[in-house]
Amino acid sequence: MNLKLKPAVSDGETFFDLAQAPLRELNAALHKLAADTNETHWKVFNPAGRHAVAAGLDAPVTVEIDGPVGYYCAGMNKQARVIINGNAGVGVAENMMSGFVHVKGDASQSAGATAHGGLLVVDGNASARCGISMKGIDIVVKGSVGHMSAFMAQAGTLTVLGDAGEALGDSLYEAKLFVRGSVAGLGADCIEKEMREEHKALLAAKLEAAGILGEVDISEFRRYGSARTLYHFHVDNVSSY
């Protein structure tokens, strides 16, 4: 099938080969999609680590990317389902508002940064600052996360099936953190909290949304949250700011 210059359509799917046509053309075509579009399933080939693939979407479509992507893939996403069959660079799903982003590999730094909503699932590991300044997104990482994950996280959930690096939840606000493995160290104002029944129910809902409920034992997770000592300045806490 010749995919050069224009998207090719077959059996209700739209194919786009980034080895044949520029990324700008792909994103422009995706941005033109209306809410009632019939072009609801896109397959993108040969991303070759390009940056900002499928960024800025605002339509209820599925975009499946066959290969690794660079910076800010699916950034500012609304409504769309973006599936990455490979690794993702810095800032995948950055500032996402809604929708679903699935990385079927590892994610680099700042996955889900500043995102307000939606669900981000990483099948592998996520590097440093996963969920930095998150504002409502739900993030599920099946592997481990790097240092300073959930730094200044304001709302939403971060669920980690593996381990967490140093300074988890530093300067945390009201995001909820669930970690199954070990935590190298907690950041300023982040503490371990009791795992009550309502938190187990919340965790179960996030695991179900990620398609892995029943694959792990919820009793193995620990919950972390804000001690709320840094909400207002006090001279005794000056070294923690």
Side-chain angles (χ1 to χ4, degrees):
M1 182 181 296
N2 183 8
L3 308 183
K4 189 174 182 179
L5 294 181
K6 291 184 181 274
V9 180
S10 176
D11 297 327
E13 296 183 329
T14 304
F15 300 90
F16 200 102
D17 190 346
L18 288 171
Q20 301 284 339
L23 173 61
R24 184 183 295 272
E25 184 175 313
L26 168 66
N27 283 343
L30 292 171
H31 292 167
K32 290 178 182 178
L33 296 175
D36 59 352
T37 180
N38 292 323
E39 298 177 86
T40 57
H41 195 168
W42 290 63
K43 288 190 175 181
V44 180
F45 301 97
N46 296 307
R50 289 176 174 83
H51 304 317
V53 178
L57 303 188
D58 189 7
V61 299
T62 295
V63 179
E64 187 172 356
I65 304 166
D66 191 20
V69 293
Y71 297 176
Y72 302 115
C73 179
M76 302 177 290
N77 186 58
K78 285 185 180 180
Q79 304 188 69
R81 294 173 56 88
V82 180
I83 301 167
I84 303 161
N85 294 319
N87 299 327
V90 173
V92 63
E94 182 266 347
N95 206 36
M96 178 163 67
M97 296 295 170
S98 62
F100 173 65
V101 177
H102 188 178
V103 181
K104 294 187 174 182
D106 296 324
S108 187
Q109 298 183 51
S110 304
T114 75
H116 291 248
L119 172 64
L120 168 64
V121 175
V122 179
D123 284 355
N125 301 311
S127 189
R129 302 176 187 86
C130 178
I132 181 174
S133 194
M134 53 192 276
K135 298 175 175 66
I137 188 177
D138 294 311
I139 302 175
V140 177
V141 179
K142 297 180 184 179
S144 299
V145 296
H147 66 272
M148 295 199 76
S149 289
F151 173 55
M152 295 188 69
Q154 297 167 39
T157 63
L158 171 62
T159 301
V160 182
L161 274 63
D163 303 325
E166 291 281 358
L168 175 70
D170 191 272
S171 303
L172 187 68
Y173 287 83
E174 291 302 310
K176 296 176 175 62
L177 315 181
F178 302 99
V179 181
R180 184 182 177 213
S182 64
V183 175
L186 297 177
D189 211 38
C190 182
I191 59 173
E192 184 173 354
K193 294 192 169 185
E194 180 186 0
M195 188 77 150
R196 298 193 297 270
E197 290 303 316
E198 64 264 32
H199 304 122
K200 293 178 182 178
L202 175 64
L203 174 57
K206 304 312 173 186
L207 294 174
E208 182 176 24
I212 55 174
L213 182 63
E215 296 182 15
V216 292
D217 187 347
I218 288 177
S219 67
E220 296 177 352
F221 286 85
R222 290 178 292 170
R223 181 173 75 98
Y224 301 90
S226 175
R228 300 175 179 148
T229 60
L230 300 182
Y231 275 25
H232 304 287
F233 178 79
H234 193 285
V235 67
D236 291 344
N237 298 325
V238 68
S239 63
S240 297
Y241 288 96

